[in-house]
Amino acid sequence: MQVAVVTFDGFNELDSFIASSLVNRCRSQGLSAWITTPTPVVASMNGVEVTGQRPLGFIGEADVVLIGSGIKTRDVVADDALLARLPLDPERQLIGSQCSGALVLARLGLLDAMPACTDTTTRPWVEECGVTVLDAPFHAEGRIATAGGCLASQYLAAWTIARTLGDDAARAAIEYAAPVGEKAETVERVMAAVRTGAAASR
């Protein structure tokens, strides 16, 4: 199973790298994440240049697509040609967004009546799309999930792992990365957020 972590120019390092790193803790179990970019090289909001591991065309092959955020997301959603290169399929794929990535899902018509999570800066722009924004870090309905706040990327990663490999695998990945002395409480907090965010739609 493959995960495309879609990463645009001006991306937020925390969003793309935390999700990618946590998912890749599960490579031995057959789940791999790839930084997926529209151009061979993209620069982060802080000027860190990264060579993409997969081109945008990889999205069509991926089992999971996570749309990262950044300072240029409004430019992304204004670019019809670029959006046309994002053939997301909620019938086949798990789809998630991080912070301003919710703007992309909204622009593609994937949120519809579904409420979403995003960061505080992006919130008014998502609401302008007619989407209700929750005061919560994570929300999922069916095969679509949204997360708000940079460190909420751990929830998006945990959801991805839990939906593909099961809760035990998600717990193990979070435990590995959690601070020493806080592992048990971190695992419980992350898994509780994922459960709550998914249960809210039932």
Side-chain angles (χ1 to χ4, degrees):
M1 292 175 288
Q2 302 192 89
V3 181
V5 181
V6 180
T7 303
F8 299 107
D9 200 48
F11 72 94
N12 184 315
E13 302 96 331
L14 292 173
D15 295 349
S16 289
F17 294 156
I18 289 176
S20 177
S21 181
L22 287 173
V23 169
N24 278 328
R25 296 292 177 191
C26 301
R27 275 188 168 167
S28 64
Q29 296 168 266
L31 183 66
S32 297
W34 306 94
I35 299 296
T36 303
T37 57
T39 54
V41 176
V42 293
S44 76
M45 60 193 299
N46 293 306
V48 178
E49 292 191 344
V50 173
T51 299
Q53 297 174 294
R54 294 289 187 274
L56 278 192
F58 173 65
I59 289 174
E61 305 172 29
D63 303 287
V64 183
V65 180
L66 304 180
I67 307 292
S69 75
I71 58 173
K72 297 183 179 181
T73 306
R74 294 181 80 191
D75 295 332
V76 171
V77 299
D79 187 336
D80 290 337
L82 180 53
L83 290 177
R85 298 170 64 193
L86 305 174
L88 305 184
D89 182 2
E91 295 299 317
R92 182 183 66 83
Q93 298 168 314
L94 293 175
I95 298 170
S97 70
Q98 178 66 44
C99 292
S100 64
L103 270 177
V104 178
L105 298 192
R107 181 72 168 76
L108 292 173
L110 293 175
L111 295 181
D112 291 331
M114 174 182 168
C117 298
T118 189
D119 60 278
T120 53
T121 300
T122 307
R123 179 171 188 154
W125 302 325
V126 174
E127 290 177 332
E128 285 177 3
C129 295
V131 176
T132 299
V133 175
L134 302 173
D135 186 20
F138 177 82
H139 180 73
E141 292 189 16
R143 302 178 68 84
I144 298 177
T146 57
C150 301
L151 295 181
S153 52
Q154 61 189 308
Y155 304 143
L156 196 58
W159 174 79
T160 298
I161 298 168
R163 285 295 303 263
T164 53
L165 298 176
D167 284 1
D168 288 347
R171 286 175 171 274
I174 297 300
E175 181 179 31
Y176 186 96
V180 172
E182 299 178 0
K183 290 186 178 294
E185 62 192 84
T186 300
V187 169
E188 292 309 313
R189 175 177 50 77
V190 170
M191 296 307 294
V194 171
R195 285 194 301 270
T196 300
S201 65
R202 295 171 186 164

